Amino acid sequence: MPADAAPPQDVKRKAAREVIDILHEIATLLNTKLDRQQLSYCVSLIENGAHPEALANVIRELREEYGTDSIDGGAEEAGAR
Amino acid sequence: MASFNRERVEHALNELLVRIVPEFPDEDEEVANERYDAAYDHAYGELSEAGDLRVVADINHVASQIDRRLLSDAGGAQKSARFNNLLSRLVSQPVLDQKWRMLYFLHELSGIPRAPEPSERRGRLRDPATPPRHEATSGSPAFRDAFARPGLSQIPVNEGGPDEVSKAATIRSAAVPRPERPERQRERRIQDSAPERPRDGEQADGTEGPTEPALLRDLPFTLQGLSSTNLAFSSSTVIKLPSSLPVPLVSLLHTLAEPSLLYRGLSEFVESTEGGLVGQSFRSALGKELRSYLGLVATLEGQVRRALAQLDEAQPHHGIGKAGVTLKRCVIWTREATQGLRLMSLMVEESRRKKGGALISLIHSFSLSHGDPYVGAFAERLLSHVTRPFYDMLRQWIYDGELADPFGEFFVYEQSEEEIHAAALANSNEGKGGATSVWEDKYKLNDNMIPTIITQEFANKVFLIGKTLNFIRYGCGDAAWVDTYSKEASKELHYGDTANLEQSIGDAYKTTMARLIDLMANKFKLFEHLQALKKYLLLGAGDFIAVLMESLSANLDRPANTQYRHTLTAQLEHAVRNSNAQFDSPDVLRRLDSRMLELSHGEIGWDVFTLEYKIDAPVDVIVTPFGSKQYLKVFNFLWRVKRVEFALGSTWRRCMTGARGVLGTVSDKVGSDWKKVRCGIAEMVHFIDQLQYYILFEVIEASWNELQEALHKPESTLDDMIEAHAKYLNSITRKGLLGSQSTDFTGQLHELLKTMLAYKDAVDGLYSFSVAEFTRIQEQAARIETRTAAGHWGLTERDTSSPDPFANKRASRSDAGSPFPPPLLNIGDAGASEDDVLPALRKRLAHLIKDFRARITILLGDLIHQPDHDMRWLAMVMNFNDVYQPKRRHSHRREKKREKDKEIPSAAAPKTGSGKSTS
């Protein structure tokens, strides 16, 4: 993340949470089946320069591979958490 | 991939994978770890291998894609609204600096299908082993990508499709070498195929049926209207699309099929050969447009080939979106051409039943009245080709006077003989007497064929020019001039060059008209002929007519069947030689001829004699056969008037001379009768004088002046001349009491003239009676003298009772010597009837003069109520001292008619009776 020293730490965290909230809502809208934590790591990955399309592909591949698909995926992830 | 922060990425990826890769409780830790490591390695490798994004870094673009996707889902509008709300909040957040990337990631991962497609189309995916262009292979990523892209992204850079595909391939290659659970994988895939559907939207684009590259390869042929494997033309208007294509592709192909089908129809039309010259040039113009369309197709084909070649070289299953040629793009490239083709086919449809000028008008209407500038420009372009034969025809027509129009497309058409005949018949119904003329009837203007590129006035001018040239060439036999003229003046005419065209038409008009007038005036002596007509047929040359009448009168008193043409022509010759007519040009005199009208029983020479002025070829355009008839009509009328005038004049003269000698001696017996007769004759002479004066001076001379004026106008054309001459004749006949529509002056005048002649005959009878009386008295006196000298009684009983054969003989001898017709009542044959003769004569004279006066009052009544002021003036002159009481015929018409009907037989009866008595 680019150094943005000016705002205090909690303000920044609050903002980050809000962004994650928004993104999570969008993700739900789009039916991506990502939970909050997964999403935040994804955000972190992408903010650090990961290729979004590649990342999406990886996630899809892995879901397919390991059966963490649609319906039971959420439960599994929830359990894993 | 230097761009990312390795440490953080590793950490985040690790955390993420922990949350994704499941742990199975029955597995031992090692296997789980191995699996996790494998996944981690794979994911990490994937991420580090991924190159730069090829999507435009634009949050709006990504957002709009997401939006579209949401909208396509159930309850899309609501979701979309919510998304937009979230988006605006997100944008306002300062935290993330790569928001579009995040959105894009979510978009990629989305489980909502990309496009609304029928679910059966989402079939089995990913089957890399099968060869391309097979139905089962349609799911291969390259083609899926190829199919999916154009429908989604309209921004030229594609959305990293290839990367995705390559990644997918890598994943697969990473997955495949793992032999431990292939069965499971396969099981899973089969199981998963159903649940997978909702979320692999973009993958669902894969279809059965031909692939886009295949279609692209076929496209150039299709656009040229040729059948290909996938797209076959089942008939000229039907193209068969392969079934089992996805809907967007079908719609694209529908769009592309339009130009193909239009082209096919048009090329068929262009190759057909029927139709006239304009039709053919229309075809050629269309052909030219089609060639430019083919040029476009050729370019397109080159593009397609290059794109396909690129595909083949680089990655065989690569999306063609990268190469820049897709079906969608083809649609856009051909859009303008399609519009052109559509327009052309519209024109073709509308032009089916049109030809020539009408066709030009049709195309011109597109260029004029269509609001779309593209259509206007297109039609203009077509017009410049289509009008070429028209302008060729126009040129030939206005410079050579030849109609080169084998297909009847020009707005001038030549009438065939039958048509002319039919027109003549139609004319004869209108009272033109069935006369035809080369000038009027040979060519006709066809209003339907006048193209809208020229105005009506202009067309008339053109028509006139050509007609004039043609007339000069054939009618006037001056082909040489026409040839030189066409050589000098001929110019190429083009569409669009209106000013030049107008100028050249104007020039041609002036030149040809001037030439024609010149020819008419100088070569064909039109004006001389008109002058001669006026002189001889309208009795302009008084001396000539006087001489002719004098020399002919004896001849013409005889019955018509004793008239011989040679005597008439001899008399005519005589009249010419003895009058000023001898100084006229021989050409004019040559045309002057006398002849007899058709004989009918009981007519005398006066009724059938007529003068004739022969008009030949070019001049008869102006002095039409109908005009000649009018002239003859006028001449006959004038001749009759002249004859009456002459007869009355000679009778008057005899009265005057007789009064000094013969009549004076018998004045005790017939003096009062003669007084009445003189009054009657004076009345008639006055009437005839006024009539003649009116016709000759008020009518003919006035009209003649107008004609002269009209003919010598500088810019007059042949048509103007014809019109002026027709007007001239018309005014003469109308004002000359010969052609009035409302009242029958001719009949009245003829009756009047007849009455006058009868009166004159009666006067002659009276004169003869007077002479006979005179001789009787003389003889009696002489006998008395001789008897007295012989010593007898001067008078005996015998003398008064019996006629004297000698006296009788003398009377008849004196009659034979006179130039007048034999008296109606031959009174010398019976001395006993002498006493009956005089009352009969008196009665007849009185009756005739009464009849004359009655007729004159009617005539005056009619004249006074004429709209024409000249005619009213005539009535005034005839009745200047109000001797007659003009009667309106309207109120008494029926009565008068009945009276007239009674009068006519009663007037004719004594005549026939007397005729019998003479024979």
Side-chain angles (χ1 to χ4, degrees), chain A residues 1-2 4 7 11-73 76-78 80-81, chain B residues 1 3-5 8-9 11-13 15-17 19-22 24 35 39 42-43 46-47 50-53 66 70 79 82-83 86 89-90 93 95-98 101-112 126 159-161 164 167-168 171 175 178 181 185 188-189 192 195-196 199 202-203:
Chain A
M1 235 176 181
D4 207 352
V11 173
K12 200 177 161 188
R13 191 165 293 154
K14 200 181 160 193
R17 196 176 302 134
E18 207 176 326
V19 167
I20 294 296
D21 280 345
I22 294 168
L23 285 176
H24 186 237
E25 233 172 301
I26 294 176
T28 330
L29 269 181
L30 280 170
N31 195 13
T32 51
K33 303 175 194 75
L34 289 172
D35 60 14
R36 247 184 102 83
Q37 271 181 313
Q38 284 173 341
L39 185 69
S40 57
Y41 285 120
C42 287
V43 169
S44 156
L45 275 169
I46 285 166
E47 282 296 307
N48 282 309
H51 193 294
E53 199 170 341
L55 184 62
N57 273 328
V58 167
I59 291 173
R60 241 190 334 254
E61 291 286 334
L62 287 174
R63 276 181 183 165
E64 202 173 315
E65 200 87 356
Y66 302 111
T68 55
D69 47 28
S70 53
I71 304 137
D72 55 342
E76 218 173 284
E77 275 158 26
R81 208 158 13 128
Chain B
M1 186 182 268
S3 64
F4 63 66
N5 189 326
R8 285 195 186 199
V9 165
H11 170 73
L13 189 61
E15 291 291 318
L16 181 64
L17 286 179
R19 277 162 184 78
I20 292 177
V21 177
F24 298 98
R35 198 179 54 192
H42 164 64
E46 186 84 2
L47 287 181
D52 283 337
L53 268 179
I66 293 175
L70 284 172
K79 282 187 185 174
R82 210 169 125 211
F83 168 71
L86 290 170
R89 271 166 66 196
L90 181 67
Q93 287 294 328
V95 183
L96 291 181
D97 64 344
Q98 299 266 36
R101 282 183 148 227
M102 197 55 219
L103 281 179
Y104 183 62
F105 162 73
L106 291 175
H107 173 60
E108 281 296 309
L109 203 60
S110 166
I112 295 171
R126 318 222 177 120
E159 303 174 346
E164 186 192 347
K167 260 179 278 164
I171 290 174
R178 296 196 303 185
R181 276 170 30 187
Q185 266 186 26
R188 200 168 266 270
R189 188 168 302 161
D192 289 351
E196 236 173 26
R199 69 157 199 218
E202 87 245 31
Q203 295 160 1

Side-chain angles (χ1 to χ4, degrees), chain B residues 344-355:
Chain B
M344 281 194 273
S345 84
L346 182 66
M347 284 175 183
V348 167
E349 278 308 312
E350 290 199 10
S351 71
R352 290 271 182 228
R353 273 182 196 78
K354 296 191 173 165
K355 62 174 190 171

Side-chain angles (χ1 to χ4, degrees), chain B residues 28-289:
Chain B
D28 51 20
E29 205 169 310
E30 200 181 322
V31 178
N33 279 342
E34 194 185 321
R35 198 179 54 192
Y36 172 79
D37 286 345
Y40 179 82
D41 288 346
H42 164 64
Y44 190 77
E46 186 84 2
L47 287 181
S48 46
E49 271 168 35
D52 283 337
L53 268 179
R54 238 178 278 128
V55 180
V56 179
D58 176 13
I59 187 163
N60 290 327
H61 175 56
V62 181
S64 73
Q65 273 186 328
I66 293 175
D67 201 27
R68 225 176 298 148
R69 202 157 168 177
L70 284 172
L71 275 174
S72 72
D73 201 32
Q78 204 184 344
K79 282 187 185 174
S80 159
R82 210 169 125 211
F83 168 71
N84 282 323
N85 183 23
L86 290 170
L87 186 68
S88 59
R89 271 166 66 196
L90 181 67
V91 169
S92 65
Q93 287 294 328
V95 183
L96 291 181
D97 64 344
Q98 299 266 36
K99 290 183 184 103
W100 69 271
R101 282 183 148 227
M102 197 55 219
L103 281 179
Y104 183 62
F105 162 73
L106 291 175
H107 173 60
E108 281 296 309
L109 203 60
S110 166
I112 295 171
R114 284 181 189 241
E117 279 179 87
S119 55
E120 66 267 20
R121 285 263 161 80
R122 303 180 197 140
R124 303 147 303 163
L125 311 168
R126 318 222 177 120
D127 206 347
T130 37
R133 296 187 61 193
H134 186 270
E135 282 201 1
T137 67
S138 54
S140 100
F143 302 123
R144 163 172 52 84
D145 192 37
F147 286 159
R149 290 302 160 227
L152 286 171
S153 165
Q154 294 195 343
I155 289 193
V157 182
N158 96 353
E159 303 174 346
D163 295 306
E164 186 192 347
V165 171
S166 64
K167 260 179 278 164
T170 339
I171 290 174
R172 223 168 291 121
S173 59
V176 167
R178 296 196 303 185
E180 63 266 62
R181 276 170 30 187
E183 296 91 353
R184 197 187 151 208
Q185 266 186 26
R186 228 167 274 143
E187 271 171 35
R188 200 168 266 270
R189 188 168 302 161
I190 294 160
Q191 282 173 5
D192 289 351
S193 60
E196 236 173 26
R197 261 176 218 161
R199 69 157 199 218
D200 47 20
E202 87 245 31
Q203 295 160 1
D205 293 319
T207 49
E208 305 174 3
T211 58
E212 182 163 5
L215 289 173
L216 270 176
R217 202 167 283 131
D218 288 347
L219 190 63
F221 300 104
T222 308
L223 286 177
Q224 291 173 59
L226 301 170
S227 287
S228 53
T229 357
N230 293 318
L231 306 164
F233 286 93
S234 55
S235 79
S236 67
T237 54
V238 178
I239 187 170
K240 213 168 148 50
L241 298 179
S243 53
S244 74
L245 279 177
V247 169
L249 206 54
V250 167
S251 86
L252 283 179
L253 286 176
H254 273 304
T255 323
L256 284 170
E258 188 188 355
S260 318
L261 291 173
L262 290 176
Y263 174 77
R264 237 176 115 95
L266 283 172
S267 64
E268 254 169 48
F269 175 75
V270 165
E271 273 154 32
S272 64
T273 50
E274 79 267 18
L277 293 174
V278 175
Q280 282 167 27
S281 74
F282 179 51
R283 284 184 172 78
S284 115
L286 286 185
K288 210 167 252 181
E289 292 297 326

Side-chain angles (χ1 to χ4, degrees), chain B residues 96 100 284 370 436 489 641 749:
Chain B
L96 291 181
W100 69 271
S284 115
H370 207 287
T436 63
V641 173
L749 285 171

Side-chain angles (χ1 to χ4, degrees), chain B residues 623-643:
Chain B
V623 186
T624 54
F626 175 66
S628 302
K629 269 187 194 162
Q630 299 277 89
Y631 272 119
L632 280 189
K633 205 167 147 193
V634 176
F635 170 76
N636 282 328
F637 174 66
L638 288 174
W639 180 249
R640 207 168 289 214
V641 173
K642 202 86 190 166
R643 177 209 169 188

Side-chain angles (χ1 to χ4, degrees), chain B residues 254-399:
Chain B
H254 273 304
T255 323
L256 284 170
E258 188 188 355
S260 318
L261 291 173
L262 290 176
Y263 174 77
R264 237 176 115 95
L266 283 172
S267 64
E268 254 169 48
F269 175 75
V270 165
E271 273 154 32
S272 64
T273 50
E274 79 267 18
L277 293 174
V278 175
Q280 282 167 27
S281 74
F282 179 51
R283 284 184 172 78
S284 115
L286 286 185
K288 210 167 252 181
E289 292 297 326
L290 289 186
R291 271 201 293 288
S292 71
Y293 166 75
L294 284 184
L296 173 79
V297 172
T299 330
L300 199 63
E301 188 178 13
Q303 295 273 355
V304 168
R305 273 179 200 281
R306 217 179 55 220
L308 291 176
Q310 267 184 9
L311 286 187
D312 291 342
E313 280 164 19
Q315 299 128 312
H317 47 282
H318 204 277
I320 48 167
K322 195 178 171 186
V325 180
T326 60
L327 278 179
K328 192 151 209 167
R329 200 157 291 169
C330 289
V331 169
I332 289 162
W333 282 339
T334 53
R335 190 183 279 166
E336 193 166 332
T338 308
Q339 205 182 342
L341 288 170
R342 214 179 285 159
L343 188 59
M344 281 194 273
S345 84
L346 182 66
M347 284 175 183
V348 167
E349 278 308 312
E350 290 199 10
S351 71
R352 290 271 182 228
R353 273 182 196 78
K354 296 191 173 165
K355 62 174 190 171
L359 183 59
I360 295 176
S361 298
L362 170 75
I363 300 171
H364 191 234
S365 73
F366 278 99
S367 81
L368 262 195
S369 57
H370 207 287
D372 189 344
Y374 172 80
V375 175
F378 191 87
E380 284 284 313
R381 201 162 64 224
L382 274 186
L383 263 189
S384 66
H385 293 292
V386 171
T387 52
R388 199 165 287 166
F390 171 77
Y391 278 102
D392 278 348
M393 280 184 245
L394 184 66
R395 191 168 56 114
Q396 205 148 11
W397 177 246
I398 64 171
Y399 290 126

